[in-house]
Amino acid sequence: MSVDSGRPADLDPFVRGVAWPAVAGVAYPRADPVDARRLPADTWSAAQLPAGVRLELAGDARHVRVDYVTTTNDLGRRGQAAGTTFEVWRDGHRVDEVAADLGAGTVRLRLGQGAGRAIVYLPEGMKPLVTKLVGEDGIVEPAPSQPRWIAYGDSIAEGWIASSPAAAWVATAGRRYGLDAVNLGYAGAARGEIVSAEQIAALEADVISLTYGTNCWSMIPNSTEMMRATTEAFLRIVRAGHPGTPLVVASPLIRPDAEERPNNLGATLDDLRRAMEEAVLAVGDDRTTLIGGRDVLSSELLGDGVHPGDAGHGRLAEVFGAAVRSAYDAGDP
């Protein structure tokens, strides 16, 4: 079976973190492939990496055998941290890790024992497709469903520069707070594009988070007026598609090189942060939670001056994840 043939339908109940069907060459797209022509090229490029995609298993099997195909070993700037292994987590602990090969392969993974689901994270940097899974020493079945969390953001949401996909804050928060995290983090992108808002508006979701903004200072500079208007428009479109869904919005995290330095349109990151927060307060409602991002992390938790390391991702999981779960619980009838 080739990646071009798409995902095996019988495995879809095990696969979590995916919102759209496969297309040729993209097994687990993180943006709507039918609508890809309207997306910025950097957004669609990032969306072809299956960040946060995983298998969630129940049953009494002690091991699972997974057949797969990986399509690249070009890991880009993240290197090995982009994901080159299968990791199994259960009850908050990693219980096994096996390296993936380029091309077709098979891994045998320990599932451990415990009351919680076994979560198998994929070698996402190698763009894998899971073609078969078989439980050994017992049965495996899809884990029960959990509230669906759509997590839109930039490279920090995607997982940069956590040591592995399982250490990214969205993945950690999903495990900790019992949420089916769908990671729509787009490295180098996520500037509040209207197309992304429309795609989110069309998805099924129990709770939604929006955590972006740093690329509005650097990659495609925004003025404060642009940031305010774009944020308002993004929120209005998402709310139109989800009139009762809890929203959690966080303004940009600290970025020392940008806090007081104007971009090409004269806006510092702190200016953009305040404009984003003003927009949320202007158009938000009682189902919208605003988190000021400036003080969530200290600069010491940034591994490269922009992205958090593992400790920083852990802190984001604690703060943002708890807010997302609380927002869902408050809105759950």
Side-chain angles (χ1 to χ4, degrees):
M1 179 180 296
S2 71
V3 170
D4 286 347
S5 66
R7 305 194 301 258
D10 62 322
L11 297 188
D12 272 356
F14 294 92
V15 178
R16 308 294 164 89
V18 181
W20 290 281
V23 293
V26 187
Y28 308 109
R30 294 187 301 113
D32 187 353
V34 174
D35 201 27
R37 64 182 179 81
R38 294 200 304 136
L39 287 166
D42 53 5
T43 302
W44 177 238
S45 177
Q48 295 178 55
L49 186 78
V53 177
R54 61 208 181 274
L55 309 173
E56 297 198 358
L57 314 177
D60 61 358
R62 302 290 295 275
H63 298 84
V64 66
R65 190 176 297 274
V66 179
D67 294 348
Y68 65 90
V69 180
T70 60
T71 59
T72 184
N73 58 4
D74 181 1
L75 303 174
R77 290 172 56 193
R78 284 187 70 190
Q80 296 293 309
T84 60
T85 67
F86 289 84
E87 287 188 49
V88 181
W89 284 70
R90 194 164 206 163
D91 296 330
H93 302 283
R94 187 175 65 189
V95 298
D96 203 5
E97 182 176 17
V98 177
D101 295 321
L102 181 61
T106 300
V107 291
R108 186 174 184 263
L109 300 164
R110 296 191 307 275
L111 296 179
Q113 293 179 297
R117 65 191 60 216
I119 304 175
V120 181
Y121 292 94
L122 307 183
E124 60 189 44
M126 301 176 76
K127 296 184 177 179
L129 169 67
V130 175
T131 59
K132 185 178 181 180
L133 65 85
V134 178
E136 296 184 349
D137 312 312
I139 64 169
V140 291
E141 56 191 12
S145 62
Q146 295 179 311
R148 193 186 211 196
W149 166 29
I150 303 299
Y152 174 81
D154 48 34
S155 55
I156 297 171
E158 189 178 271
W160 291 43
I161 54 175
S163 59
S164 74
W169 78 262
V170 173
T172 301
R175 289 193 306 272
R176 183 177 300 171
Y177 295 106
L179 297 167
D180 178 12
V182 179
N183 189 317
L184 303 188
Y186 306 129
R191 298 167 292 263
E193 284 83 2
I194 296 304
V195 179
S196 291
E198 291 173 336
Q199 293 188 4
I200 293 169
L203 291 175
E204 294 182 7
D206 295 302
V207 63
I208 298 167
S209 66
L210 310 175
T211 58
Y212 69 97
T214 190
N215 292 329
C216 299
W217 177 81
S218 56
M219 296 297 291
I220 298 183
N222 278 221
S223 67
T224 54
E225 294 81 4
M226 291 168 62
M227 189 71 174
R228 188 177 297 108
T230 300
T231 302
E232 288 190 10
F234 198 99
L235 289 170
R236 290 183 189 279
I237 290 170
V238 171
R239 178 56 79 207
H242 296 280
T245 304
L247 301 178
V248 176
V249 186
S251 60
L253 300 172
I254 189 172
R255 178 172 171 172
D257 70 334
E259 291 297 325
E260 299 179 0
R261 179 182 166 195
N263 63 16
N264 287 344
L265 293 178
T268 67
L269 184 63
D270 192 55
D271 293 334
L272 297 181
R273 182 183 295 114
R274 285 187 285 107
M276 185 177 188
E277 292 171 0
E278 290 167 3
V280 175
L281 293 174
V283 303
D285 51 32
D286 60 2
R287 297 173 307 282
T288 304
T289 300
L290 172 63
I291 301 174
R294 172 64 177 79
D295 297 323
V296 174
L297 296 182
S298 64
S299 59
E300 290 75 17
L301 293 177
L302 302 177
D304 61 3
V306 178
H307 305 94
D310 283 359
H313 276 277
R315 174 64 177 162
L316 295 181
E318 177 184 347
V319 175
F320 293 168
V324 169
R325 183 70 213 199
S326 294
Y328 169 75
D329 289 340
D332 189 28

